[in-house]
């Protein structure tokens, strides 16, 4: 499974030269992020962290991940339309997790009022690691599926060019020519454009709902630019702007500053800290509107860790996707062991199992964005503490995936150049559009490879742990 550049990894002068070429290539190609010091200005920017070399990815698993993406799109969409399933699955969670409970209440409220929205747009990213079995054969195992604000579809489209340059500098032109082109931001924009078209108002705009702190703006601009290229107007607004200037007319059309909004694309709103009282009100206003929300609140709930755990119960997928036997088989093949910690005998047994052998598991709360999961000794301590409390049900337990590490250099501004033992996570972007009951688009839109040093159990690129990478298929 190794990539064919082990020979250069420890050749220090070659690595230094390649790293300086790599950084300049990243800046030229637009692998950019704003700085921590000035997160809301583009006067000073830096390169987004990335690996010096592409990482080896087994081609069979790469193909498997692409092949199951349309199935996952169907599944997420089916869950979002299944009120009973969401209600039943999240019942225990919303008793103890206030954030999920608030999302759920909005979901119920808009259903009771009757959905004004008739066009649905899903953009998700299904993430995987390559679990190394006892015989050393890697297997594709899903980490999670992100149904809101799945990012890096823009920046990742630019890393192949950077890594191609690096490989050439290192005398590996043949390998450079094998790197795959990849542009998720284009696929994402095609989905947004389709939803905008079906909404059916030429003068309406697409609204990107963005965070107060916008370090990752260039990633979003990649999607915006694709829309402008198709003559679709894009505005960028925060929850605060929606609270102050958003309104609905009698037909629940959404207006911002007098401009009609066809599509709301959330790059915000996935963690509790995104919300204060006004922002919750703004969220409710958006959800009640006729505008196409990407995602609507039901689809956001479909991406919770609790739903993921429930999907792994025998019979659940079959019930959610009746008649899709092959899709169910493909989806199941990617599942790792997932366990409920709900109150009761089953949960008691699972908690005892994890406490006895914490290194085999990951304990996950209902949170997104990295840095929330618990591992090893910390997992054991926390679980022991909450073992007999209802708080236990706000978590799920998952088998720990153990990939085979590989050596690489992680390039980060102001950090020393040093070789690290690394593992990678592959994400596949999915895009779909549904009008009423009819799926009018269902695609895999590209991939994202993120790599981190093994000493970090958790965390993504935005969390400062993982870096952007390019797969080199082996
Ligand atoms: P988040 O919503 O915070 O991104 P994830 O489930 O993706 O939550 O977990 C965050 C990170 O933790 C992942 O990117 C991965 O590095 C690590 N991780 C999560 N689940 C597992 C697992 N089952 N085995 C090993 N590592 C995991
Ligand atoms: Mg994740």
């Amino acid at each position: 499974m190794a990539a064919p550049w082990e020979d250069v990894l420890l050749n220090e002068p070659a690595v230094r030269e390649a790293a300086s070429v790599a950084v300049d290539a990243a800046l030229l190609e637009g692998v950019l992020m704003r700085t921590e010091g000035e997160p809301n200005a583009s006067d000073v920017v830096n390169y987004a962290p990335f690996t010096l070399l592409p990482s080896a990815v087994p081609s069979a698993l790469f193909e498997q991940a692409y092949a199951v993406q349309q199935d996952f799109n169907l599944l997420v969409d089916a869950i979002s339309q299944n009120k009973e399933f969401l209600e039943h699955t999240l019942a225990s969670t919303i008793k103890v997790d206030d954030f999920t409970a608030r999302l759920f209440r909005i979901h119920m409220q808009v259903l009771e009022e009757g959905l004004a929205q008739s066009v649905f747009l899903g953009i998700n990213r299904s993430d995987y690691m390559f679990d190394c079995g006892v015989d050393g054969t890697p297997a594709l195992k899903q980490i999670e599926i992100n149904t809101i604000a799945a990012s890096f579809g823009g920046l990742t489209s630019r890393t192949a060019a950077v890594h191609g340059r690096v490989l050439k500098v290192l005398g590996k032109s043949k390998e450079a020519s094998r790197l795959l082109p990849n542009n998720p931001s284009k696929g994402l924009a095609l989905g947004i454009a389709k939803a905008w078209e079906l909404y059916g108002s030429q003068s309406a705009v697409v609204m990107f709902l963005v965070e107060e702190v916008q370090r990752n703006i260039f990633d979003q601009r990649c999607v915006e630019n694709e829309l402008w290229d198709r003559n679709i107007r894009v505005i960028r607004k925060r929850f605060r702007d929606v609270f102050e200037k958003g309104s609905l007319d009698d037909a629940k059309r959404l207006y911002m500053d007098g401009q009609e909004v066809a599509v709301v694309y959330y790059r915000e709103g996935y963690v509790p800290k995104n919300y204060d009282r006004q922002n919750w009100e703004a969220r409710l206003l958006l959800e009640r509107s006729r505008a196409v929300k990407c995602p609507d609140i039901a689809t956001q709930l479909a991406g919770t860790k609790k739903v993921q755990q429930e999907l792994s119960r025998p019979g659940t997928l079959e019930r959610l996707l009746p008649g899709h036997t092959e899709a169910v088989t493909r989806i199941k093949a990617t599942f790792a062991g997932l366990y409920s910690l709900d109150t009761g005998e089953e949960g008691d047994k699972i908690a005892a199992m994890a406490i006895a052998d914490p290194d085999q598991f990951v304990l996950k709360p209902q949170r997104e964005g990295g840095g929330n999961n618990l591992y090893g000794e910390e997992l054991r301590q926390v679980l022991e503490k909450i073992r007999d409390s209802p708080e236990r049900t706000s978590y799920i337990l998952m088998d720990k995936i153990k990939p085979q590490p590989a050596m690489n250099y992680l390039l980060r501004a102001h950090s020393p150049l040093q070789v690290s033992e690394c593992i990678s996570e592959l994400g596949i972007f999915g895009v779909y559009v549904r009008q009423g009951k009819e799926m009018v688009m269902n695609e895999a839109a590209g991939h994202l490879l993120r790599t981190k040093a093994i000493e970090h159990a958790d965390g993504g690129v935005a969390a400062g742990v993982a870096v952007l990478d390019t797969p080199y298929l082996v």
Side-chain angles (χ1 to χ4, degrees), residues 311-349:
L311 293 176
S312 74
R313 263 190 214 283
T316 307
L317 287 176
E318 288 82 353
R319 276 197 301 281
L320 288 165
L321 292 175
H324 290 92
T325 320
E326 287 173 9
V328 166
T329 308
R330 282 189 294 265
I331 291 172
K332 265 191 196 164
T334 69
F335 283 176
L338 287 146
Y339 314 91
S340 164
L341 288 164
D342 283 4
T343 320
E345 215 178 297
E346 181 196 349
D348 292 345
K349 272 196 201 143

Side-chain angles (χ1 to χ4, degrees), residues 127 144 146 425:
D127 290 337
E144 63 157 347
N146 303 279
E425 186 170 344

Side-chain angles (χ1 to χ4, degrees), residues 40-254:
N40 284 336
S42 297
D43 301 74
V44 180
V45 299
N46 219 321
Y47 60 95
F50 64 102
T51 56
L52 175 65
L53 291 153
S55 293
V57 167
S59 57
L61 303 192
F62 186 80
E63 280 159 26
Q64 186 189 351
Y66 264 94
V68 73
Q69 188 54 44
Q70 286 165 312
D71 306 326
F72 272 117
N73 291 346
L74 272 186
L75 177 63
V76 171
D77 186 50
I79 298 168
S80 77
Q81 294 174 77
N82 195 325
K83 176 172 173 270
E84 290 71 33
F85 175 78
L86 281 176
E87 209 170 350
H88 174 257
T89 301
L90 296 173
S92 57
T93 309
I94 61 179
K95 284 193 195 132
V96 287
D97 189 78
D98 184 53
F99 179 63
T100 312
R102 292 190 88 142
L103 294 172
F104 190 78
R105 280 206 297 277
I106 294 181
H107 168 56
M108 292 310 265
Q109 181 174 344
V110 293
L111 283 183
E112 269 155 37
E113 281 180 18
L115 285 185
Q117 178 178 354
S118 61
V119 176
F120 297 83
L121 164 65
I123 291 179
N124 62 55
R125 201 189 65 225
S126 183
D127 290 337
Y128 307 88
M129 281 183 173
F130 314 116
D131 195 29
C132 194
V134 269
D135 61 349
T137 321
L140 186 76
K141 290 294 160 197
Q142 188 183 49
I143 295 294
E144 63 157 347
I145 188 158
N146 303 279
T147 60
I148 180 166
S151 55
F152 293 107
L155 297 190
T156 193
S157 66
R158 286 127 197 269
T159 60
V162 177
H163 285 127
R165 180 72 41 77
V166 169
L167 290 182
K168 284 183 187 171
V169 167
L170 292 169
K172 312 235 171 236
S173 311
K174 194 162 96 298
E175 288 84 352
S177 70
R178 289 191 49 214
L179 296 177
L180 300 172
N182 176 39
N183 189 0
S185 50
K186 182 164 183 197
L188 270 45
L190 286 173
I192 296 173
K194 187 73 192 170
W196 174 86
E197 180 196 316
L198 293 174
Y199 178 88
S201 169
Q202 279 290 324
S203 58
V205 301
V206 170
M207 177 165 81
F208 280 37
L209 197 89
V210 298
E211 292 179 281
E212 294 285 338
V213 174
Q214 297 172 39
R215 274 194 77 187
N216 203 16
I217 190 167
F218 300 108
D219 184 56
Q220 300 167 5
R221 293 280 196 214
C222 293
V223 184
E224 277 179 53
N225 287 349
E226 294 279 352
L227 291 167
W228 285 107
D229 286 350
R230 288 166 180 75
N231 292 315
I232 298 173
R233 178 167 282 277
V234 179
I235 58 173
R236 297 174 59 85
K237 300 287 172 190
R238 299 157 305 171
F239 272 133
R240 191 166 15 134
D241 305 312
V242 176
F243 178 80
E244 284 167 6
K245 296 187 178 139
S247 64
L248 305 187
D249 72 4
D250 293 344
K252 293 193 183 166
R253 278 184 285 254
L254 173 67

